Amino acid sequence: MPVINVVRQVLDSNDRIAGGNRALFDEKGIYVMNLMSSPGAGKTTLVEKTIDALKGRYRIAVIEGDIQSTHDAERVARHGVPVVQINTGGGCHIDANMVREALPGLPLDEVDVLINENVGNLVCPAEFTIGENDKVMILSTPEGADKPSKYPLMFHESSVMIINKIDLLPYVEFDIVKAKADALACNPELVIIEVSCRTGQGLDAWVEWLTTRVETFRKGRA
Amino acid sequence: MPVINVVRQVLDSNDRIAGGNRALFDEKGIYVMNLMSSPGAGKTTLVEKTIDALKGRYRIAVIEGDIQSTHDAERVARHGVPVVQINTGGGCHIDANMVREALPGLPLDEVDVLINENVGNLVCPAEFTIGENDKVMILSTPEGADKPSKYPLMFHESSVMIINKIDLLPYVEFDIVKAKADALACNPELVIIEVSCRTGQGLDAWVEWLTTRVETFRKGRA
């Protein structure tokens, strides 16, 4: 089956490059997050809120992954942090090599936390590590509670599932108990945090989780 | 660039198989729709509403594409139509060969309209024709109005964009004028229909469009 061999080679090569990225991040002391979700679940808004919450504490940089356009990078740049836009030109995810090629555009000696916002896609990004410390995923309430059972890999690969748009719960059919149970069936270690990026509800818990992860990473290096 | 060659070969092969599917559909007089969207935009609910609206008029069959699970096929089967579930086993779209392999599971001599519900993904499904008459896409209001500029191929490839969840317009930030203008910039021929699958608003216009397309197809064969 040649197609399967090609895919395997691509993934092996990706893992090698991701290892190189990781070694560089360790050398520079940079905690790295890979943020994934369906289109429109709220990745860019979460990035903006996270920057604003952590700006005094950590030096943040962002890599924005999109098929085309610089829309999200422009939004993020307004928050006063260095940002590089990857345009995948049709590609449905960012991979380790795209991140490696983006890194010279960032002042890595002055970065504590690097946020990678992936292409909006609940499938393919979960297959490609980029050298991150944590994969973080967002499930938004309008998407429905059946997503863990239908797209299990992303739930399996992530450290955290952020349930976003909880302000819409009165207006959408979203069985939050089922969504959590099915997500935990994919990944019993998954941390689940409910937020509304729009109203700010729950963001404290997210920022606390992230801060703890960054501090644990820094202590491991000390 | 070997990766590009492989992709080209895959797409060429897909187009050949799609042509074979199309020839079979023409022979049998079956109008075929390829329904695509992000996860959770409302594909299955639209399929259910469409079946209920057209059941007396056309004999409908459905192919459900999902990475895993038979959840959607079970929902659709309750509406009394033949349905086959494709499980892609990790694959992020359905392709012409998967559809070809699913066809023996359907009573093709007793089908007027075949609806293919693709994997929830705003990127990859748009690259693979399956022998359809029309690609139909859904954009739901919680996803945001920036999607046409960020995921242009799907808007370019589709005959219709259904804007779903318009009942949520008071509760989400969705610039519908911008969404329409940017979608038409991707594809000036795009037909745009606003609906709420939940309340039923706008579904008459969708059913009318679809009926017209089916009748045009049947007249072309007569």
Side-chain angles (χ1 to χ4, degrees), chain A residues 24-96:
Chain A
L24 178 65
F25 297 142
D26 280 339
E27 181 197 324
K28 303 280 188 189
I30 304 173
Y31 170 89
V32 179
M33 183 202 314
N34 183 357
L35 181 59
M36 309 178 291
S37 78
S38 297
K43 290 183 296 306
T44 311
T45 307
L46 184 74
V47 170
E48 293 178 286
K49 300 285 185 183
T50 304
I51 292 167
D52 290 347
L54 292 181
K55 204 155 42 173
R57 182 154 189 177
Y58 302 118
R59 297 168 297 177
I60 300 172
V62 177
I63 294 177
E64 281 292 335
D66 283 295
I67 292 171
Q68 67 177 51
S69 89
T70 56
H71 182 75
D72 289 351
E74 287 160 23
R75 279 175 63 185
V76 167
R78 280 182 218 121
H79 295 261
V81 300
V83 54
V84 172
Q85 176 81 53
I86 295 175
N87 276 337
T88 65
C92 54
H93 60 274
I94 59 173
D95 64 24

Side-chain angles (χ1 to χ4, degrees), chain B residues 12 20 43 150 160:
Chain B
D12 282 353
K43 289 183 297 305
K150 291 171 68 181
V160 184

